[in-house]
Amino acid sequence: MKNLQLVAVLYMVLSMVAYQISASFAKQLITTLDPLTVTILRLSFATIIVAIMFRSWTIISKLKHLKWRDLLLYTASLGCMNILFYTSLGKLPQGIAVGLEFIGPLGLALLSIKQRSDYLWVAFAILGIALMVPWHDANQHNFSYFGAACAVGAGIFWALYIYYGHRVAQQNIGMHALTIAIALSALTLLPFGLWNNAPVLLDTQYWGKALVIAILATAIPYALDLMALKRLSKLSYGTLTSLAPALAALAGLVILHEQISLIQWVALFCIMIASIGVTLRGEKSPAP
């Protein structure tokens, strides 16, 4: 059980690293395209990738036996989370956008607490997030209230994605659930994208970048997340994702040259402590 849980932690770390690198690439692309177009391109290519990876056509005969309520809610959470996050990414620095988005899964972790000792690690995570957001710069040009609202909304749907991810993982359809969710999200958003900006959406010069983003942001992270959710509790998953704002800020610094202040470095330290603490807790208490 200990080895399985450590493997799940590794899955999550790799998932977040890939996702934050993709977010930096996506932010560069959003300067040219709109967030909706970038989201649709990413999900469309991701659908093809995961369908081939997992040979998802083999599940067609089982579709009528699935619990579609959970699967559709999982799909809706995934789609809304992505479009709202990409919208916030176009308005806010990457570290701030991810920090605000983290309110969702952190809230889920708070609701899952059963041991008093767990409050210490969640407290470190909360402190880290609070220090990551430049509250004193709220009126300056680098902070958007609309972007912040989108980031918080993305966080709420992130929490729902985690919750329904647990339920979908229990249907024993493996990674085919991922293919279905991404494909339905792409098909739902596609008409809006064509109406909004069809020429750009169909312009092949952007497809290469979108393919890279799809691999890093969807095919790899969502597959790893589903595998991790089978072995981690909601508390472990929700608090381990406290590493995401730190990785986002580092990716923004390295790829986008977004500077990190001294206070934000302190925030990164707090978030790292929370992540290490919940990992050590997970080794001592097996996940359900």
Side-chain angles (χ1 to χ4, degrees):
M1 180 62 70
K2 180 186 294 186
N3 290 336
L4 291 177
Q5 197 166 41
L6 288 175
V7 169
V9 171
L10 178 60
Y11 286 157
M12 284 191 60
V13 172
L14 292 176
S15 168
M16 289 185 288
V17 169
Y19 189 86
Q20 296 310 327
I21 293 175
S22 78
S24 295
F25 292 164
K27 184 167 184 176
Q28 292 175 332
L29 193 57
I30 287 172
T31 60
T32 304
L33 309 179
D34 59 276
L36 177 60
T37 300
V38 175
T39 303
I40 293 172
L41 287 174
R42 168 193 150 185
L43 292 176
S44 297
F45 281 110
T47 299
I48 299 172
I49 293 170
V50 296
I52 295 174
M53 285 175 56
F54 307 129
R55 299 170 58 88
S56 295
W57 54 85
T58 60
I59 201 177
I60 293 178
S61 61
K62 301 179 181 178
L63 292 180
K64 61 182 179 181
H65 302 297
L66 299 180
K67 297 179 181 178
W68 279 99
R69 179 181 177 276
D70 290 341
L71 192 54
L72 289 176
L73 289 172
Y74 175 68
T75 298
S77 300
L78 185 152
C80 292
M81 174 183 67
N82 280 284
I83 188 62
L84 287 172
F85 174 66
Y86 272 25
T87 301
S88 71
L89 200 60
K91 302 289 184 180
L92 297 170
Q94 185 174 337
I96 297 175
V98 175
L100 290 172
E101 186 191 25
F102 183 73
I103 291 175
L106 181 58
L108 185 62
L110 285 168
L111 293 175
S112 303
I113 281 181
K114 295 181 179 179
Q115 301 179 19
R116 289 185 177 181
S117 59
D118 295 329
Y119 283 101
L120 175 63
W121 313 122
V122 176
F124 271 112
I126 293 174
L127 178 60
I129 297 303
L131 294 176
M132 281 288 293
V133 179
W135 306 105
H136 59 286
D137 291 336
N139 295 323
Q140 294 187 8
H141 67 279
N142 64 336
F143 189 89
S144 165
Y145 287 106
F146 176 72
C150 289
V152 173
I156 294 173
F157 283 107
W158 189 3
L160 293 173
Y161 161 74
I162 295 170
Y163 176 78
Y164 287 107
H166 274 282
R167 297 177 69 101
V168 169
Q170 296 171 2
Q171 293 198 37
N172 296 321
I173 57 175
M175 296 305 172
H176 301 307
L178 180 66
T179 306
I180 296 171
I182 296 176
L184 290 178
S185 295
L187 290 173
T188 301
L189 292 174
L190 185 58
F192 298 99
L194 292 173
W195 176 80
N196 178 60
N197 201 346
V200 174
L201 187 62
L202 300 175
D203 193 337
T204 57
Q205 70 171 310
Y206 301 112
W207 289 9
K209 294 179 180 178
L211 176 60
V212 173
I213 293 172
I215 294 172
L216 292 173
T218 306
I220 295 175
Y222 291 163
L224 292 173
D225 280 354
L226 279 177
M227 291 188 289
L229 284 167
K230 292 181 179 180
R231 301 183 177 97
L232 294 176
S233 66
K234 289 192 292 291
L235 175 63
S236 296
Y237 184 96
T239 311
L240 269 172
T241 49
S242 62
L243 188 61
L247 293 174
L250 290 173
L253 175 64
V254 174
I255 300 175
L256 303 174
H257 306 294
E258 295 176 341
Q259 296 298 317
I260 297 177
S261 67
L262 178 60
I263 293 178
Q264 288 175 323
W265 279 114
V266 174
L268 298 183
F269 184 70
C270 292
I271 293 170
M272 294 291 186
I273 291 177
S275 299
I276 294 172
V278 75
T279 302
L280 294 176
R281 167 207 172 269
E283 290 183 1
K284 296 178 180 179
S285 57

